[in-house]
Amino acid sequence: MKKTIPLMGLLVALAFILSYLETFIPISFIGIPGIKIGLANIVIIIAILKLKKSDAFIILLARIILAGFTFGSLSSMLYALAGGILSFIAMILLAKCKGFTAIGLSVAGGIAHNIGQIVVALFVLETSQILFYLPILIISGTIFGAINGMIAAVIYSRVSKIE
Amino acid sequence: MKSFISKKDILIIVASLGIGCILLITFLLLPTKDNASVIVTLDGQVIKTMSLYSNTTYTCQNNENYNIIVVNNGIVNVKEASCKNQICVHHFPISKNGETIVCLPNKLVVSIKNENGKQPDIVI
């Protein structure tokens, strides 16, 4: 059991670096805000599949807080927390039902993440106009979720043989 | 050897893409009337309303934060802004009923609405 703490630290660092790399990808040239690739979610998916759910949640929180303080702002952390927690709930719900693989988890997580961020924006901006972004974010959440899920599935199939 | 993808996964992907596309097409098909106006809200309060077909440049100033909104020939975009991420400046220009440009750091929302249009509005 004591082996998991260094492993969790490693995963937090990995998720953190993936978040950092994402800040270099100029996805904003698409012209639609809120579209994220969500590479750090790959780590969370593998953590959910391999570790205890509570450990995976700790990794998620640690990554959001660290990344938020390092290259984000407090308000960006609010959006990241909302999206991250909602996506985590969606993913563990699917993990409990049988018949879903890493790809399904990742797609659900991606969509839930975007919905969480829109909900926070609804409260911050106090106008429902932002719902205009919902269809685009659902589609991009699905596409990037599927891509991340495939990466996670490949990594998980190698990693699950260890330990 | 487990397979990488299962039927339920494909179901989620197809369903989500389907819902997303249906919503998107619905929004795109909404008509934009001739009396459509551009509504600018700051922090939830409407601070400026202009006709979509007027040619105006409006600077929204809030302490040190500003956004410069340009309405020209039925097309609205944010020319310049004080926010760090500049997402509102890079945003694609909007021209249809329901479309919106948002600057989250400055809490600014620029949207196009038909006058007396039936907008799905939520009272929050």
mmCIF file of all heavy atoms in Angstrom, chain B residues 32-54:
data_model
loop_
_atom_site.group_PDB
_atom_site.id
_atom_site.type_symbol
_atom_site.label_atom_id
_atom_site.label_comp_id
_atom_site.label_asym_id
_atom_site.label_seq_id
_atom_site.Cartn_x
_atom_site.Cartn_y
_atom_site.Cartn_z
ATOM 1 N N THR B 32 -31.860 35.209 -38.646
ATOM 2 C CA THR B 32 -31.415 36.497 -38.112
ATOM 3 C C THR B 32 -32.242 37.593 -38.767
ATOM 4 O O THR B 32 -32.181 37.779 -39.969
ATOM 5 C CB THR B 32 -29.920 36.712 -38.418
ATOM 6 O OG1 THR B 32 -29.195 35.615 -37.892
ATOM 7 C CG2 THR B 32 -29.423 37.997 -37.808
ATOM 8 N N LYS B 33 -33.034 38.293 -37.967
ATOM 9 C CA LYS B 33 -33.942 39.277 -38.538
ATOM 10 C C LYS B 33 -33.216 40.575 -38.851
ATOM 11 O O LYS B 33 -32.102 40.817 -38.394
ATOM 12 C CB LYS B 33 -35.095 39.544 -37.565
ATOM 13 C CG LYS B 33 -35.905 38.323 -37.216
ATOM 14 C CD LYS B 33 -37.395 38.625 -37.257
ATOM 15 C CE LYS B 33 -38.195 37.383 -37.003
ATOM 16 N NZ LYS B 33 -38.248 37.063 -35.556
ATOM 17 N N ASP B 34 -33.913 41.428 -39.608
ATOM 18 C CA ASP B 34 -33.315 42.708 -39.967
ATOM 19 C C ASP B 34 -33.193 43.641 -38.787
ATOM 20 O O ASP B 34 -32.420 44.589 -38.820
ATOM 21 C CB ASP B 34 -34.160 43.402 -41.042
ATOM 22 C CG ASP B 34 -33.986 42.713 -42.382
ATOM 23 O OD1 ASP B 34 -32.933 42.064 -42.561
ATOM 24 O OD2 ASP B 34 -34.881 42.816 -43.218
ATOM 25 N N ASN B 35 -34.014 43.408 -37.762
ATOM 26 C CA ASN B 35 -33.927 44.309 -36.619
ATOM 27 C C ASN B 35 -33.076 43.711 -35.504
ATOM 28 O O ASN B 35 -33.171 44.112 -34.365
ATOM 29 C CB ASN B 35 -35.337 44.623 -36.096
ATOM 30 C CG ASN B 35 -36.071 43.335 -35.711
ATOM 31 O OD1 ASN B 35 -35.486 42.261 -35.693
ATOM 32 N ND2 ASN B 35 -37.346 43.462 -35.416
ATOM 33 N N ALA B 36 -32.229 42.768 -35.884
ATOM 34 C CA ALA B 36 -31.403 42.128 -34.852
ATOM 35 C C ALA B 36 -30.485 43.151 -34.212
ATOM 36 O O ALA B 36 -29.986 44.062 -34.871
ATOM 37 C CB ALA B 36 -30.579 41.004 -35.476
ATOM 38 N N SER B 37 -30.248 42.981 -32.939
ATOM 39 C CA SER B 37 -29.366 43.921 -32.265
ATOM 40 C C SER B 37 -28.217 43.188 -31.582
ATOM 41 O O SER B 37 -28.290 41.996 -31.301
ATOM 42 C CB SER B 37 -30.154 44.743 -31.240
ATOM 43 O OG SER B 37 -30.934 43.896 -30.441
ATOM 44 N N VAL B 38 -27.170 43.959 -31.349
ATOM 45 C CA VAL B 38 -25.998 43.455 -30.653
ATOM 46 C C VAL B 38 -26.106 43.906 -29.201
ATOM 47 O O VAL B 38 -26.229 45.086 -28.923
ATOM 48 C CB VAL B 38 -24.707 44.011 -31.263
ATOM 49 C CG1 VAL B 38 -23.496 43.465 -30.531
ATOM 50 C CG2 VAL B 38 -24.644 43.684 -32.743
ATOM 51 N N ILE B 39 -26.081 42.950 -28.297
ATOM 52 C CA ILE B 39 -26.243 43.286 -26.881
ATOM 53 C C ILE B 39 -24.944 42.991 -26.161
ATOM 54 O O ILE B 39 -24.390 41.899 -26.282
ATOM 55 C CB ILE B 39 -27.386 42.460 -26.271
ATOM 56 C CG1 ILE B 39 -28.664 42.771 -27.023
ATOM 57 C CG2 ILE B 39 -27.540 42.759 -24.794
ATOM 58 C CD1 ILE B 39 -29.849 41.994 -26.546
ATOM 59 N N VAL B 40 -24.470 43.991 -25.431
ATOM 60 C CA VAL B 40 -23.217 43.846 -24.691
ATOM 61 C C VAL B 40 -23.544 43.820 -23.197
ATOM 62 O O VAL B 40 -24.151 44.750 -22.687
ATOM 63 C CB VAL B 40 -22.260 45.019 -24.989
ATOM 64 C CG1 VAL B 40 -20.951 44.830 -24.257
ATOM 65 C CG2 VAL B 40 -22.027 45.142 -26.487
ATOM 66 N N THR B 41 -23.165 42.761 -22.547
ATOM 67 C CA THR B 41 -23.365 42.728 -21.098
ATOM 68 C C THR B 41 -22.029 42.621 -20.386
ATOM 69 O O THR B 41 -21.109 41.943 -20.833
ATOM 70 C CB THR B 41 -24.232 41.533 -20.649
ATOM 71 O OG1 THR B 41 -23.553 40.334 -20.987
ATOM 72 C CG2 THR B 41 -25.582 41.528 -21.261
ATOM 73 N N LEU B 42 -21.952 43.330 -19.272
ATOM 74 C CA LEU B 42 -20.756 43.306 -18.446
ATOM 75 C C LEU B 42 -21.190 42.886 -17.055
ATOM 76 O O LEU B 42 -22.013 43.548 -16.430
ATOM 77 C CB LEU B 42 -20.120 44.701 -18.422
ATOM 78 C CG LEU B 42 -18.818 44.818 -17.636
ATOM 79 C CD1 LEU B 42 -17.724 44.042 -18.330
ATOM 80 C CD2 LEU B 42 -18.419 46.271 -17.497
ATOM 81 N N ASP B 43 -20.634 41.751 -16.605
ATOM 82 C CA ASP B 43 -20.972 41.287 -15.265
ATOM 83 C C ASP B 43 -22.468 41.064 -15.095
ATOM 84 O O ASP B 43 -23.023 41.303 -14.035
ATOM 85 C CB ASP B 43 -20.498 42.321 -14.217
ATOM 86 C CG ASP B 43 -19.882 41.629 -13.026
ATOM 87 O OD1 ASP B 43 -20.081 40.404 -12.879
ATOM 88 O OD2 ASP B 43 -19.209 42.302 -12.236
ATOM 89 N N GLY B 44 -23.118 40.643 -16.160
ATOM 90 C CA GLY B 44 -24.538 40.350 -16.072
ATOM 91 C C GLY B 44 -25.443 41.521 -16.369
ATOM 92 O O GLY B 44 -26.655 41.345 -16.499
ATOM 93 N N GLN B 45 -24.905 42.719 -16.456
ATOM 94 C CA GLN B 45 -25.737 43.896 -16.735
ATOM 95 C C GLN B 45 -25.590 44.316 -18.190
ATOM 96 O O GLN B 45 -24.473 44.396 -18.702
ATOM 97 C CB GLN B 45 -25.298 45.091 -15.862
ATOM 98 C CG GLN B 45 -25.242 44.800 -14.388
ATOM 99 C CD GLN B 45 -26.614 44.572 -13.813
ATOM 100 O OE1 GLN B 45 -27.581 45.183 -14.254
ATOM 101 N NE2 GLN B 45 -26.712 43.659 -12.861
ATOM 102 N N VAL B 46 -26.718 44.576 -18.829
ATOM 103 C CA VAL B 46 -26.664 45.058 -20.211
ATOM 104 C C VAL B 46 -26.169 46.498 -20.196
ATOM 105 O O VAL B 46 -26.773 47.368 -19.570
ATOM 106 C CB VAL B 46 -28.047 44.998 -20.883
ATOM 107 C CG1 VAL B 46 -27.980 45.560 -22.274
ATOM 108 C CG2 VAL B 46 -28.548 43.561 -20.905
ATOM 109 N N ILE B 47 -25.054 46.758 -20.862
ATOM 110 C CA ILE B 47 -24.533 48.117 -20.847
ATOM 111 C C ILE B 47 -24.663 48.817 -22.185
ATOM 112 O O ILE B 47 -24.519 50.023 -22.280
ATOM 113 C CB ILE B 47 -23.048 48.153 -20.421
ATOM 114 C CG1 ILE B 47 -22.234 47.168 -21.264
ATOM 115 C CG2 ILE B 47 -22.898 47.834 -18.962
ATOM 116 C CD1 ILE B 47 -20.764 47.377 -21.117
ATOM 117 N N LYS B 48 -24.920 48.033 -23.249
ATOM 118 C CA LYS B 48 -24.993 48.699 -24.548
ATOM 119 C C LYS B 48 -25.785 47.828 -25.502
ATOM 120 O O LYS B 48 -25.613 46.618 -25.527
ATOM 121 C CB LYS B 48 -23.570 48.900 -25.097
ATOM 122 C CG LYS B 48 -23.505 49.542 -26.449
ATOM 123 C CD LYS B 48 -23.623 51.029 -26.371
ATOM 124 C CE LYS B 48 -23.460 51.654 -27.750
ATOM 125 N NZ LYS B 48 -23.843 53.052 -27.772
ATOM 126 N N THR B 49 -26.632 48.488 -26.289
ATOM 127 C CA THR B 49 -27.363 47.771 -27.326
ATOM 128 C C THR B 49 -27.200 48.533 -28.625
ATOM 129 O O THR B 49 -27.386 49.749 -28.657
ATOM 130 C CB THR B 49 -28.863 47.680 -26.971
ATOM 131 O OG1 THR B 49 -28.980 47.122 -25.663
ATOM 132 C CG2 THR B 49 -29.592 46.795 -27.946
ATOM 133 N N MET B 50 -26.816 47.804 -29.680
ATOM 134 C CA MET B 50 -26.671 48.486 -30.965
ATOM 135 C C MET B 50 -27.359 47.643 -32.023
ATOM 136 O O MET B 50 -27.515 46.446 -31.858
ATOM 137 C CB MET B 50 -25.189 48.607 -31.363
ATOM 138 C CG MET B 50 -24.272 48.959 -30.243
ATOM 139 S SD MET B 50 -22.560 48.830 -30.765
ATOM 140 C CE MET B 50 -22.054 47.421 -29.826
ATOM 141 N N SER B 51 -27.720 48.279 -33.109
ATOM 142 C CA SER B 51 -28.284 47.506 -34.203
ATOM 143 C C SER B 51 -27.175 46.711 -34.882
ATOM 144 O O SER B 51 -26.048 47.167 -35.009
ATOM 145 C CB SER B 51 -28.940 48.440 -35.215
ATOM 146 O OG SER B 51 -29.114 47.763 -36.429
ATOM 147 N N LEU B 52 -27.515 45.506 -35.316
ATOM 148 C CA LEU B 52 -26.507 44.655 -35.956
ATOM 149 C C LEU B 52 -25.999 45.279 -37.247
ATOM 150 O O LEU B 52 -24.888 45.016 -37.695
ATOM 151 C CB LEU B 52 -27.105 43.264 -36.232
ATOM 152 C CG LEU B 52 -26.224 42.238 -36.936
ATOM 153 C CD1 LEU B 52 -24.973 41.967 -36.133
ATOM 154 C CD2 LEU B 52 -26.993 40.939 -37.138
ATOM 155 N N TYR B 53 -26.824 46.144 -37.831
ATOM 156 C CA TYR B 53 -26.451 46.683 -39.138
ATOM 157 C C TYR B 53 -25.924 48.098 -39.060
ATOM 158 O O TYR B 53 -25.721 48.743 -40.075
ATOM 159 C CB TYR B 53 -27.645 46.572 -40.095
ATOM 160 C CG TYR B 53 -28.055 45.128 -40.245
ATOM 161 C CD1 TYR B 53 -29.149 44.610 -39.568
ATOM 162 C CD2 TYR B 53 -27.292 44.267 -41.024
ATOM 163 C CE1 TYR B 53 -29.492 43.279 -39.682
ATOM 164 C CE2 TYR B 53 -27.622 42.939 -41.145
ATOM 165 C CZ TYR B 53 -28.733 42.444 -40.472
ATOM 166 O OH TYR B 53 -29.058 41.124 -40.589
ATOM 167 N N SER B 54 -25.707 48.582 -37.849
ATOM 168 C CA SER B 54 -25.053 49.883 -37.735
ATOM 169 C C SER B 54 -23.560 49.648 -37.850
ATOM 170 O O SER B 54 -23.074 48.551 -37.620
ATOM 171 C CB SER B 54 -25.380 50.506 -36.381
ATOM 172 O OG SER B 54 -24.824 49.715 -35.348
#
